[in-house]
Amino acid sequence: MTGSSRGVGRGLVEALLGEGDYVYGCSRSGQQLIEHERYRHVLLDVANEAAVRTMLNGIVTTHGRLDVVVNNAGVSSSRLGLLTPASDFMNVLEANLVGAFIVMRESIRLMKRTKFGRIINFSSINVPLASIGGASYNASKAALENLCITLSRECASDDITINCVGLSLVGESGMVDALPQEALAAKQQQLIKPALLSVRDVLHAVNFFASPNARNITGQTIYFGGVS
Ligand SMILES: NC(=O)c1ccc[n+]([C@@H]2O[C@H](COP(=O)([O-])OP(=O)(O)OC[C@H]3O[C@@H](n4cnc5c(N)ncnc54)[C@H](OP(=O)(O)O)[C@@H]3O)[C@@H](O)[C@H]2O)c1
């Protein structure tokens, strides 16, 4: 689980530990990180290839295999496209797209050894909504969705699937907490199902893609909120 120091990622780790899983998480920084006998946290930037490789290789060395990867780490940026400096755009792409790519590439290499794996990425309803103020963020998630389709083709001969969950608005998460009330309400108005998601709702989608019976579902994005 990348990006597990807070927000959705942290909530998911706590839920997965409750289900009896062994979980590794990471983030660039963190205070009061989860402490559990079946959890290990690594401080790294997902855009750092060597650090990601070391973490994932360590999982396989210790546990013999890597079954499920949830690419949750991400950053947001609320700016009009016309006012977005290229450096800001690059920062968002680096975390949301390049970092997710590195985690996927290194994971697939290890999953190919066992010919099994499930990779689940978090996209956003902001892709189909193309919400104003999210030029870099929306573009990063749209590219991530496309990347999943291409990579899923490269894994076609193995029982490895790569999918995306397009989150709507998750309660008690960093990205929703950062939204002003009016912006949150405006976004909810665009949704058929505007209620805030719980971590349980997100976990349900993750578990669906991770389940053995989802072996023939790959390169897909499921959106919450009723957008398409
Ligand atoms: N919350 C929502 O309603 C919502 C809606 C749509 C999509 N999403 C997606 O869901 C995911 C989680 O959102 P959230 O609201 O839980 O975000 P959040 O509360 O801001 O948490 C983001 C997590 O990712 C980590 N992170 C960020 N950049 C990283 C990097 N380069 N390397 C490693 N770790 C990194 C952060 O820790 P550090 O900063 O210490 O690295 C933190 O643990 C994101 O991908 C987001 O785009 C969320």
Side-chain angles (χ1 to χ4, degrees):
M1 176 76 57
T2 65
S4 53
S5 61
R6 58 176 191 267
V8 177
R10 186 183 180 108
L12 285 174
V13 168
E14 286 166 348
L16 291 166
L17 290 171
E19 293 185 354
D21 293 334
Y22 281 86
V23 188
Y24 278 63
C26 65
S27 60
R28 292 167 300 182
S29 58
Q31 288 161 345
Q32 297 180 316
L33 297 166
I34 297 171
E35 287 184 32
H36 192 284
E37 57 186 1
R38 279 182 278 105
Y39 179 71
R40 219 184 122 208
H41 197 100
V42 181
L43 288 181
L44 58 72
D45 188 324
V46 287
N48 181 328
E49 294 184 270
V52 169
R53 194 176 301 131
T54 300
M55 176 181 69
L56 295 172
N57 285 343
I59 294 172
V60 172
T61 302
T62 307
H63 299 280
R65 53 192 297 131
L66 175 67
D67 287 334
V68 180
V69 169
V70 181
N71 244 334
N72 161 80
V75 297
S76 61
S77 170
S78 283
R79 272 191 164 136
L80 291 173
L82 293 180
L83 299 178
T84 302
S87 57
D88 184 90
F89 205 96
M90 295 294 282
N91 283 344
V92 175
L93 286 188
E94 190 166 272
N96 296 1
L97 181 61
V98 180
F101 165 68
I102 291 168
V103 171
M104 282 196 276
R105 188 194 63 200
E106 295 303 318
S107 298
I108 292 166
R109 285 179 177 165
L110 294 167
M111 287 171 168
K112 275 187 171 285
R113 293 185 193 169
T114 55
K115 300 184 181 304
F116 175 86
R118 299 282 182 265
I119 300 178
I120 298 123
N121 299 274
F122 286 153
S123 183
S124 166
I125 53 160
N126 285 324
V127 173
L129 293 179
S131 309
I132 195 160
S136 56
Y137 181 79
N138 302 352
S140 71
K141 295 294 188 181
L144 177 63
E145 291 183 15
N146 191 274
L147 174 63
C148 289
I149 301 171
T150 308
L151 290 180
S152 66
R153 289 189 197 284
E154 296 184 26
C155 300
S157 57
D158 299 312
D159 184 7
I160 298 172
T161 66
I162 306 167
N163 292 289
C164 292
V165 178
L167 298 178
S168 50
L169 299 154
V170 187
E172 295 175 38
S173 67
M175 294 196 184
V176 164
D177 290 348
L179 282 177
Q181 268 315 111
E182 317 79 64
L184 177 60
K187 221 160 239 194
Q188 285 179 294
Q189 272 180 3
Q190 298 178 74
L191 303 177
I192 296 174
K193 294 285 187 186
L196 295 185
L197 303 178
S198 67
V199 166
R200 283 271 147 205
D201 297 328
V202 181
L203 180 67
H204 183 66
V206 168
N207 280 342
F208 166 72
F209 279 131
S211 65
N213 287 340
R215 65 188 176 282
N216 291 317
I217 302 174
T218 194
Q220 305 299 308
T221 301
I222 289 183
Y223 292 110
F224 278 97
V227 299
S228 55

